[in-house]
Amino acid sequence: MSTDALRKRYEEAGQGHVFQFFPQLPDAERAALTQQLEALDIARVNRIYKKAVSSEQEAASGSSTRAEIVPLPEDASDSAIGHPEKEVEWRKVGLDAVGRGQVAILLMAGGQGTRLGSSAPKGCYDIGLPSHKSLFQLQAERIARLQTVAEQETGKPAGSVIVPWYIMTSGPTRKETEAFFNKNAFFGLNPKNVIFFNQGTLPCMTMDGKVLLDTPSHVAVAPDGNGGLYAALRTPLSATDKRTVLSDLADRKVLYVHAYAVDNCLVRVADPVFIGYCIKKQVVCAAKVVPKAGPHESVGVIARRGDKYSVVEYSEITKEQAEQRDPSGELAFRAGNIANHFYTTSFLKETEAFEDELAFHIARKKIPHIDLASGESVKPTKPNGMKLELFVFDVFPFTKQFAVFEVARTEEFSPLKNAPGTGSDDPDTSRRDLLAQHRRFLERAGATVKDGVEIEISPLVSYAGEGLEAVKGKTFTRSGSVGAVEEFDALA
């Protein structure tokens, strides 16, 4: 596109100021700015801004058009807690799908470990296990083990079952994430089945919707939130690789996708129980949840706004609603959201059709920028602009065939959010929760673990407590890390 045509497009969108410094720029910087502006759909950016502002104003006004928040209908949810017979059935259905190559995994791994005191991608973090495995390694080894279990239980040849792993990174984490996987030989997985792709970005904007420049030749941008996942699925993997995640899923004939956030050390990747439940339920989208710890826990819950499924923030629920009980005595609003979702690939393709209806959320921030009048760099001391982001659960209201699947928090959710020593959702609690789970695995398999003994079981040995028959009757008196079944004897 010619510079004149590009300038006209931005002027018509009311964003012509991005060319303010263009005449004075060196050729290389002109070319870089031109490339950035050509890649940006400025009309879409304007639509997103207007929709976000109007949605926020509507919410703030307490408009009567906001639908009433009501508990989930009984037929929309089920629980794995206390139903071992159902779990066996769901697991078989899920493992059959894994064995047929119909299941893939989407990992949201765009965040850095800044709050943990690390500039590295959060998935590289070591929570202090005896093995010093990173979150990425724990998850990679669970994938490897799941493939093996599916082969064994569905009668497939060794090495024939593949669960592809699509890892969404952000600009700041992409290079380091790939380097980490290369350095660690992809933790034993075939690199062809680990596909990296980037989360999208959106321009930072002034409070009145004008695009900000962070240098005379560059538009200030920020990640578009974990809900940017959906648009990223249809974006080419790179400048040289025109495949998209959606096209690769189609080529592999994948029907079902499990998506989750990187910071949960207990996550069961491509959980066959969850997958099997969703297949049996014939839903196109589902959320795995944990019961709220108490009525007033500060966590978003999945509920309904009128007839639409939605994540409702704890601040939106009244005290009476928070304490409301259903006929069984459980909290009526208890489905704690943990960013753990199921999709059919057909639904992921359909998200493009309603993307314009999704309201992005506004985060008001202190955004460094270039003063258009003076050309000087400005570092504001108070919020001067906005970043726009979409949340991964913002698609829930657009699905009719939706379900909620409840699991035990102690078995499946221990998020890593806070700095070491915080005492809540930090590396120490993650380590504690994972080692406590491994103790339960051993005890359920018929072993005795002495007080104070901590045994870490590699995911390559057991995905979810299976395969531990050899420990029955043993008493473990020594702490350590086990990478193969034969290594248990050294700790007895």
Side-chain angles (χ1 to χ4, degrees), residues 39-149:
L40 198 58
D41 183 346
I42 194 61
R44 174 176 176 263
V45 171
N46 282 347
R47 288 198 303 273
I48 287 171
Y49 166 78
K50 287 173 185 168
K51 178 85 174 173
V53 170
S54 65
S55 178
E56 186 184 66
Q57 289 171 344
E58 181 183 311
S61 70
S63 166
S64 59
T65 60
R66 295 277 286 177
E68 181 187 3
I69 296 168
V70 295
L72 290 167
E74 197 174 324
D75 63 356
S77 63
D78 215 319
S79 179
I81 302 170
H83 298 287
E85 71 296 336
K86 286 185 179 179
E87 197 169 327
V88 168
E89 180 187 1
W90 293 326
R91 182 177 178 274
K92 183 181 185 309
V93 173
L95 276 180
D96 285 346
V98 172
R100 289 192 294 268
Q102 295 175 337
V103 177
I105 303 166
L106 279 175
L107 166 59
M108 295 172 280
Q112 292 170 289
T114 313
R115 285 166 65 182
L116 304 169
S118 167
S119 61
K122 198 183 263 192
C124 301
Y125 199 82
D126 167 9
I127 60 174
L129 293 170
S131 68
H132 293 289
K133 289 177 181 177
S134 64
L135 293 171
F136 280 140
Q137 183 167 357
L138 292 172
Q139 293 161 23
E141 291 182 353
R142 283 185 194 131
I143 294 170
R145 174 64 184 169
L146 177 63
Q147 291 173 164
T148 300
V149 170

Side-chain angles (χ1 to χ4, degrees), residues 269-321:
V269 292
D271 175 18
V273 178
F274 183 35
I275 301 283
Y277 166 75
C278 295
I279 292 171
K280 289 273 295 179
K281 191 85 172 171
Q282 295 186 308
V283 294
V284 298
C285 180
K288 183 181 278 192
V289 301
V290 296
K292 283 179 70 172
H296 302 292
E297 183 185 7
S298 300
V299 63
V301 295
I302 300 179
R304 297 243 285 199
R305 291 185 192 275
D307 63 350
K308 296 182 185 297
Y309 296 97
S310 182
V311 171
V312 178
E313 296 304 331
Y314 60 91
S315 56
E316 299 179 86
I317 294 178
T318 65
K319 181 177 183 294
E320 291 72 28
Q321 286 176 313

Side-chain angles (χ1 to χ4, degrees), residues 149-214:
V149 170
E151 288 161 1
Q152 293 170 345
E153 297 199 24
T154 64
K156 295 286 167 56
S160 66
V161 170
I162 294 167
V163 182
W165 196 14
Y166 299 88
I167 300 176
M168 183 174 78
T169 58
S170 60
T173 63
R174 174 64 176 268
K175 192 173 178 182
E176 203 169 344
T177 300
E178 288 199 70
F180 191 73
F181 272 77
N182 279 299
K183 178 184 172 186
N184 290 283
F186 284 75
F187 309 104
L189 297 176
N190 186 333
K192 290 181 181 175
N193 301 320
V194 181
I195 298 97
F196 299 98
F197 67 108
N198 263 15
Q199 180 177 352
T201 59
L202 280 171
C204 301
M205 310 188 83
T206 64
M207 300 300 188
D208 58 355
K210 297 296 183 183
V211 169
L212 286 164
L213 295 172
D214 56 10

Side-chain angles (χ1 to χ4, degrees), residues 6-25 33 37 40 42 45-46 203-206 208-220 369-373:
L6 188 62
R7 188 192 297 264
K8 186 178 180 209
R9 182 208 287 178
Y10 274 79
E11 286 173 347
E12 288 175 348
Q15 304 283 6
H17 62 278
V18 296
F19 286 91
Q20 177 79 6
F21 306 104
F22 198 80
Q24 294 85 41
L25 294 176
L33 179 59
L37 295 178
L40 198 58
I42 194 61
V45 171
N46 282 347
C204 301
M205 310 188 83
T206 64
D208 58 355
K210 297 296 183 183
V211 169
L212 286 164
L213 295 172
D214 56 10
T215 74
S217 59
H218 190 265
V219 170
H369 64 283
I370 296 296
D371 183 274
L372 294 175

Side-chain angles (χ1 to χ4, degrees), residues 233-264:
L233 297 179
R234 55 180 188 270
T235 303
L237 295 178
S238 71
T240 54
D241 189 345
K242 298 306 179 188
R243 287 180 305 155
T244 66
V245 172
L246 287 178
S247 73
D248 197 66
L249 288 167
D251 290 345
R252 293 173 184 265
K253 298 181 171 54
V254 169
L255 300 181
Y256 313 110
V257 174
H258 176 227
Y260 68 97
V262 73
D263 61 2
N264 176 15

